[in-house]
Amino acid sequence: MSYTMNGKPLWCRPARTRGGEGVRDIDTDEVATEQLGILAEAAQLVAAGIRAGLVYRPTAVDDPTGKLRMDRPNNVWSRCDTCHQQFQHGKKSKLTTCFSCRLPAATCKGCGKQFQPQRRSQLLCGKACVGLALTAAATERNKDRATVPCVICGVDFAMKFSAGGMSKTCGKVCGTEYFKRNAAAKRAQREANRLGK
């Protein structure tokens, strides 16, 4: 088996110790094959060590913040008694369970399902429930707001404030119509003022 790329060995002696460009050494191919065989065996040994649990490579799942932190001098890695995942804690700490196992399961305020919170203040299980909760909160806030009639269509709408004053229209369509009417009225007023002088 030859380990080559574009007809050249992957590993070869430095250029200063090789012969001319056209000269290929049989020793170079043998050395390259030997070196790559050693590297392949080392990779297999590391993979077997990881599978056997002898080599540990920390992942983002192990860190309760969701960000992979490097080992710090005052931190040690322990295996959780509950979920058997490795977690990091201080040397003087007597913790035996990881952060997510110490937090009890919570009930989502939006959908009512049980979920494992990522932090103590988490009340909702996901983005969909957060969106529903925000919509419900906005509806609740608007429920007690006073209503005023739209100057264009006459429909009552919740009173809103914009541009330092109270809104006069119920929505975008009526707002556009209101501005058109205002512009026409102002043009007519300017024309009357110009003719009246």
Side-chain angles (χ1 to χ4, degrees):
M1 182 175 189
S2 176
Y3 297 98
T4 61
M5 179 183 289
N6 298 332
K8 297 180 181 174
L10 290 176
W11 181 89
C12 60
R13 291 183 299 192
R16 66 180 180 277
T17 62
R18 285 195 307 246
E21 273 303 310
V23 177
R24 288 214 39 196
D25 208 352
I26 295 175
D27 293 341
T28 305
D29 286 339
E30 290 173 4
V31 171
T33 305
E34 181 184 337
Q35 293 289 330
L36 287 172
I38 292 170
L39 287 175
E41 185 181 352
Q44 290 171 354
L45 287 172
V46 170
I50 289 172
R51 281 194 298 272
L54 301 173
V55 177
Y56 175 69
R57 187 184 313 162
T59 62
V61 174
D62 301 328
D63 190 13
T65 61
K67 300 172 189 164
L68 184 62
R69 294 181 297 181
M70 300 305 291
D71 286 333
R72 296 185 180 141
N74 293 331
N75 287 355
V76 293
W77 288 92
S78 297
R79 199 167 282 282
C80 177
D81 292 342
T82 310
C83 66
H84 306 293
Q85 291 288 327
Q86 288 199 349
F87 69 100
Q88 200 175 29
H89 63 83
K91 283 182 182 175
K92 295 181 181 179
S93 173
K94 303 284 191 262
L95 294 175
T96 58
T97 56
C98 63
F99 181 79
S100 51
C101 290
R102 288 193 305 265
L103 281 179
T107 305
C108 178
K109 302 285 185 190
C111 62
K113 292 181 187 174
Q114 290 280 331
F115 73 101
Q116 184 64 43
Q118 299 298 315
R119 56 194 175 281
R120 284 178 173 71
S121 61
Q122 186 175 356
L123 301 174
L124 301 164
C125 63
K127 288 183 179 178
C129 289
V130 169
L132 290 173
L134 289 173
T135 304
T139 304
E140 186 66 29
R141 279 195 310 270
N142 290 341
K143 185 174 71 174
D144 298 333
R145 194 179 286 178
T147 59
V148 292
C150 176
V151 295
I152 301 297
C153 64
V155 173
D156 285 346
F157 66 96
M159 186 169 57
K160 299 178 283 192
F161 291 93
S162 64
M166 189 176 73
S167 293
K168 295 174 178 61
T169 60
C170 61
K172 203 173 210 177
V173 175
C174 289
T176 305
E177 181 63 31
Y178 178 73
F179 283 116
K180 283 181 187 175
R181 288 184 187 177
N182 260 2
K186 285 181 182 176
R187 255 186 269 117
Q189 182 68 32
R190 276 194 303 251
E191 190 65 30
N193 288 344
R194 191 174 57 87
L195 292 175
K197 285 185 178 179

